[in-house]
Amino acid sequence: MTVYAIIGGTGLTQLEGLTISAALNVDTPYGAPSAPLLRGDYAGREVLFVARHGHPHRIPPHQVNYRANLWALKHSGAEAILAVNAVGGIHPAMGTGHFCVPDQVIDYTSGREHTYFAGELDHVTHVDFSYPYDARLRELLIAALAAEGCAYSGQGVYGCTQGPRLETVAEIVRMERDGCDIVGMTGMPEAVLARELELPYASLSLVVNPAAGKASGVITMAEIERALGDGMDQVKAVLARVLAA
């Protein structure tokens, strides 16, 4: 039976309902993960959980040690990754509270450690990243969202920005022109590192605010926190359905 790992983002620094059997402090060649890996039972399945931003939420997106997180999960037995991401909505369908299971990504980040294939290498390695998200995991997430009666889109382009600041209106105009449907700060290099480790990976993205210029007024943290509070119960229910399936 597949051992799933859940990567919790903003709003999901701990997984309520997880019966913890061990907290693993994994030493990796890339430094320490964001937080101890939690091994336990969730929805009747063995899972691994890591809080991407640490617990408490303290690591900004551009300083997350993505390489350590993914390496630690792989070497602790993870066989597939379900990533939870809080995002802004660019496409008109992506209103606050809407879910997206992206099928493509555009990487606008810079300066992040984005590959395991660096340094003194025996040979150059390229991975195919044409389709960055695992098709089967996406199907499971889509089926779970439908069963839970959530508002969702079964595809979309995730635009990943550097952060920690939010985007300008002009940047969102550019991203919309590029074809982005949602915008977040943590989708990359996480997805490509999973591919390099041959870990199936998919994202459950929750829209927590309209992107810059997509609503009147400025974006407030209070608005985002309300959306996170409202959406996390649905996130947990969707994850439980995927695991039960």
Side-chain angles (χ1 to χ4, degrees):
M1 188 175 288
T2 302
V3 177
Y4 286 93
I6 297 169
I7 300 178
T10 300
L12 193 65
T13 57
Q14 54 187 341
L15 187 60
E16 294 175 9
L18 175 67
T19 303
I20 299 170
S21 59
L24 309 174
N25 291 294
V26 182
D27 184 27
T28 87
Y30 310 99
S34 298
L37 274 57
L38 302 181
R39 186 191 303 278
D41 180 273
Y42 188 70
R45 292 283 293 273
E46 179 188 7
V47 299
L48 292 162
F49 176 81
V50 67
R52 183 189 290 118
H53 298 282
H55 181 59
H57 187 285
R58 59 183 177 80
I59 306 172
H62 66 295
Q63 291 185 326
V64 171
N65 193 336
Y66 297 95
R67 293 196 299 177
N69 287 349
L70 271 293
W71 193 96
L73 290 171
K74 169 83 172 184
H75 286 266
S76 297
E79 298 172 307
I81 306 288
L82 297 170
V84 178
N85 302 88
V87 299
I90 298 176
H91 190 281
M94 306 293 175
T96 299
H98 195 86
F99 285 92
C100 181
V101 182
D103 62 324
Q104 283 293 326
V105 65
I106 299 177
D107 188 3
Y108 298 94
T109 66
S110 62
R112 301 185 181 189
E113 296 289 354
H114 64 280
T115 181
Y116 293 107
F117 301 123
E120 295 295 327
L121 301 173
D122 294 331
H123 57 85
V124 176
T125 301
H126 303 282
V127 295
D128 177 24
F129 204 52
S130 302
Y131 302 98
Y133 302 103
D134 183 77
R136 178 178 173 276
L137 289 183
R138 292 185 61 255
E139 289 172 1
L140 290 172
L141 286 169
I142 291 166
L145 285 163
E148 286 295 321
C150 299
Y152 75 93
S153 297
Q155 61 184 23
V157 178
Y158 182 128
C160 188
T161 58
Q162 178 70 355
R165 67 168 178 86
L166 299 178
E167 299 72 35
T168 68
V169 172
E171 287 169 334
I172 294 300
V173 169
R174 173 201 175 191
M175 294 177 72
E176 186 170 30
R177 189 168 59 242
D178 288 349
C180 296
D181 299 300
I182 54 177
V183 55
M185 302 176 189
T186 55
M188 288 289 287
E190 200 171 83
V192 72
L193 292 172
R195 180 62 53 86
E196 289 184 353
L197 292 175
E198 300 182 342
L199 283 170
Y201 177 99
S203 166
L204 176 62
S205 293
L206 170 65
V207 179
V208 297
N209 62 276
K214 294 301 178 181
S216 58
V218 298
I219 301 167
T220 68
M221 292 305 103
E223 168 191 2
I224 291 173
E225 288 167 6
R226 278 196 303 272
L228 285 167
D230 293 342
M232 279 304 123
D233 284 343
Q234 288 182 305
V235 167
K236 293 167 189 172
V238 169
L239 292 174
R241 275 192 180 271
V242 172
L243 295 173

